[in-house]
Amino acid sequence: MIWAATLAGAAVLTGCSGQDKEADGQVVNLYTARHYDSDQALYDRFTKETGIKINRIEGKADEMVARMKSEGANSPADLFITADAGALWRAQQAGLFQPIQSATLNERIPANLREPGGNWYGFTRRARVVAYDAAKVKPEEIDDYAKLATPRFKGKICVRSSDSVYNLSLVGALIESWGPEKTGEWAKGIVANMARAPEGGDRDQIRAVGAGVCEVAITNSYYYIRLASGDDAKDRQVTEKVKLAFPTLGGKGAHVNISGGGIAKNAPNKDNAVKLLEFFASADSQKHISANNNEFPASPDVAAPPPVDAYANFVANPMNVAAFAARQPEAQSLMSAAGWR
Ligand code: FE
């Protein structure tokens, strides 16, 4: 009996380690806040090239972070990807990433688009910029973020609420560049210039410019490009009247954010996760993602595909994405103090 039990136990153990080994070579658990149908083609190509199957778990960024937190050390998460450096920084603050070193990632991704400690890496870029009514606004009136807060735009600005991570990252970048005092004044100026209380997403702000509710809107670049090149004729019409401008921050170019990812703290399939992240950072993947969701490739060496190529030739502020991402709490309290809802 004892002998049989020991043998059975040994068999189970052997079985377990065999399974683990097999799983190590075949699987990666991807937690993703991205939700594009076009991503499936990318995942299929990765599996075809490497033999590694992708288990995808989807949800909003904050939901994914909460889930990984509650799963703790037992989390099956290998790789977490999401939009906005601010969201990646929150995951890092929650202790959900482990830093990695990858010569491949360092070569494929510019240094300012990755977290300096190796906790997370961007693979595409988006700019947070300005859509404007070309009949009412001259480009030189919006060539600097500072100008948006001047009396010229009293009652003329549409922008979403201050709980948007996009706005927190932008204001974080302003703090990083200008310091908190000037940025606090800027936020007050923006609130004074609002055409209406913040409502809706970035696309709604662009459409509001089209409808004459405001003259300028703060928006992520890909929303504008999506309206300009999408299937909706009314939205395309809006972008004939409303144009996209890339203001400068401290004279050094437009505020740039990323979509990216990091390796989970307790990744059971870490090597596969690194391979998948390196795959997302490849020139082909950057192009694929760019073509499908209208972000820009992260690497300046990767040519932007249509339709984003028409907008890709802007000056990007070289600030490190982790520098502004870490200023979210400051940005939040500064915007609250300004009365930015
Ligand atoms: Fe978005």
Side-chain angles (χ1 to χ4, degrees):
M1 266 319 260
I2 290 166
W3 180 79
T6 308
L7 190 70
V12 167
L13 274 178
T14 311
C16 272
S17 81
Q19 261 173 11
D20 279 355
K21 260 198 184 131
E22 199 179 62
D24 278 346
Q26 282 191 334
V27 183
V28 59
N29 299 317
L30 174 65
Y31 280 39
T32 174
R34 292 173 49 83
H35 43 264
Y36 296 100
D37 294 342
S38 57
D39 283 1
Q40 191 56 49
L42 210 56
Y43 302 151
D44 290 345
R45 187 153 59 81
F46 176 76
T47 301
K48 206 175 157 201
E49 284 176 14
T50 62
I52 301 165
K53 190 175 158 266
I54 299 175
N55 294 326
R56 182 167 34 150
I57 293 101
E58 285 183 0
K60 289 183 180 148
D62 288 344
E63 291 167 9
M64 292 282 97
V65 165
R67 178 169 173 161
M68 287 169 78
K69 265 191 204 167
S70 74
E71 288 169 344
N74 297 319
S75 176
D78 289 311
L79 176 63
F80 173 51
I81 62 173
T82 187
D84 206 287
L88 290 161
W89 180 82
R90 285 178 200 172
Q92 183 188 348
Q93 285 300 104
L96 300 178
F97 289 139
Q98 59 174 303
I100 56 157
Q101 289 307 321
S102 158
T104 303
L105 286 172
N106 290 350
E107 184 205 319
R108 290 177 177 173
I109 304 301
N112 68 308
L113 304 181
R114 37 185 162 92
E115 196 277 323
N119 280 284
W120 40 271
Y121 296 79
F123 42 74
T124 49
R125 289 181 302 153
R126 65 263 302 282
R128 190 149 186 76
V129 289
V130 169
Y132 67 101
D133 186 331
K136 297 175 186 159
V137 180
K138 297 189 200 82
E140 61 265 28
E141 291 176 311
I142 44 168
D143 59 6
D144 192 306
Y145 292 93
K147 294 186 181 177
L148 299 174
T150 62
R152 156 68 181 88
F153 292 107
K154 186 137 194 89
K156 307 291 185 199
I157 292 183
C158 283
V159 61
R160 69 198 294 171
S161 65
S162 61
D163 58 7
S164 154
V165 71
Y166 304 153
N167 279 340
L168 292 171
S169 287
L170 170 62
V171 174
L174 301 184
I175 297 171
E176 181 70 15
S177 178
W178 296 339
E181 225 166 282
K182 180 175 172 181
T183 307
E185 288 307 309
W186 183 85
K188 283 180 199 156
I190 294 294
V191 172
N193 286 351
M194 284 179 187
R196 60 179 185 188
E199 61 175 62
D202 284 358
R203 267 172 290 207
D204 300 311
Q205 317 310 321
I206 301 169
R207 291 179 184 128
V209 176
V213 175
C214 34
E215 292 185 4
V216 297
I218 298 176
T219 180
N220 282 353
S221 50
Y222 56 89
Y223 288 119
Y224 179 89
I225 299 170
R226 231 173 262 171
L227 295 194
S229 59
D231 296 331
D232 190 307
K234 256 169 74 188
D235 279 339
R236 283 201 311 273
Q237 224 177 347
V238 165
T239 60
E240 281 165 25
K241 171 180 171 182
V242 182
K243 297 298 170 190
L244 192 65
F246 293 78
T248 191
L249 173 54
K252 291 180 184 158
H255 166 61
V256 164
N257 210 316
I258 54 167
S259 286
I263 308 299
K265 175 86 180 282
N266 299 296
N269 308 287
K270 181 185 170 183
D271 291 350
N272 294 348
V274 173
K275 274 185 201 151
L276 182 54
L277 189 52
E278 289 172 347
F279 174 82
F280 284 137
S282 69
D284 282 351
S285 295
Q286 286 184 42
K287 253 189 208 169
H288 176 99
I289 298 168
S290 173
N292 285 288
N293 78 354
N294 302 138
E295 290 180 284
F296 304 108
S299 170
D301 301 333
V302 177
V308 300
D309 55 347
Y311 307 89
N313 192 20
F314 68 96
V315 181
N317 192 289
M319 185 183 296
N320 187 288
V321 287
F324 65 75
R327 291 195 180 272
Q328 282 175 96
E330 259 178 289
Q332 180 72 75
S333 63
L334 190 151
M335 290 164 94
S336 297
W340 191 325
R341 275 191 11 201

